[in-house]
Amino acid sequence: MENFRWAYIGSGNIAYSTAKDISRGNHSIVTVYGRSFHKAKAFAEKYGAAAFDNFYDAVNRDDVDGVYIATPHTSHVEYAVECMKLGKPVLCEKPVGVSVKDVAKVVQQADNIKLYQQLLDLSAQALDMQSEINRLTNEINELRKKHNIESQIT
């Protein structure tokens, strides 16, 4: 899997917590934006990212694959909708919004950019891959049984 490059919106405690976890995998943080540029810069330096004092400059870049929103919950909807308008996938801390009306804005924007269809397409591909993995696992287990090998793949 290629390295997935994140823009982080917010640089508080929850951002630090998730950054520690994602840095273990094929992920990197490339940009950080926060209301406090000083805090965003400190966070960015820790993870080898660039800090920005402008949301659009941090997100609307070719080297950003997705956006993680770790801000106070009252700003989640605004940032999520703007990110999707820029064509960026969004991972948002809970709650997405503080009301049904707020969440409806996010859902509407996702529908506008056909995000659900993209997710359904990806889910179908994942199911196809899982079926193939299951078939191969069963085949390997049968061969092990046939050749009296005691270990098993599960």
Side-chain angles (χ1 to χ4, degrees), residues 76-145:
H76 288 178
V77 170
E78 175 188 350
Y79 286 129
V81 168
E82 289 303 311
C83 289
M84 286 188 280
K85 284 180 180 177
L86 295 171
K88 302 297 182 181
V90 175
L91 177 59
C92 185
E93 276 302 320
K94 62 183 181 189
V96 172
V98 295
S99 70
V100 172
K101 184 178 177 182
D102 279 350
V103 175
K105 290 177 189 174
V106 174
V107 170
Q108 181 62 50
Q109 183 58 36
D111 190 45
N112 289 347
I113 63 168
K114 308 295 185 231
L115 180 63
Y116 292 128
Q117 184 59 48
Q118 293 170 27
L119 291 174
L120 289 174
D121 291 346
L122 289 173
S123 294
Q125 290 173 16
L127 286 174
D128 289 345
M129 286 189 287
Q130 186 60 51
S131 295
E132 182 65 8
I133 290 168
N134 290 343
R135 186 189 69 72
L136 291 170
T137 300
N138 290 335
E139 190 175 308
I140 290 168
N141 285 336
E142 288 300 316
L143 287 170
R144 287 178 177 209
K145 186 188 293 183

Side-chain angles (χ1 to χ4, degrees), residues 3-73:
N3 183 47
F4 192 88
R5 302 162 301 179
W6 291 96
Y8 260 55
I9 306 303
S11 54
N13 291 336
I14 194 71
Y16 275 97
S17 175
T18 60
K20 181 175 57 175
D21 291 336
I22 72 154
S23 62
R24 294 182 193 147
N26 290 331
H27 299 262
S28 61
I29 301 166
V30 294
T31 64
V32 180
Y33 164 74
R35 292 179 299 174
S36 164
F37 181 73
H38 176 74
K39 285 178 64 179
K41 186 175 182 197
F43 181 91
E45 286 174 356
K46 179 171 177 128
Y47 291 99
F52 289 86
D53 60 1
N54 179 289
F55 165 80
Y56 293 98
D57 291 343
V59 173
N60 197 21
R61 300 167 50 99
D62 290 337
D63 64 344
V64 170
D65 299 316
V67 181
Y68 177 69
I69 301 172
T71 60
H73 64 276

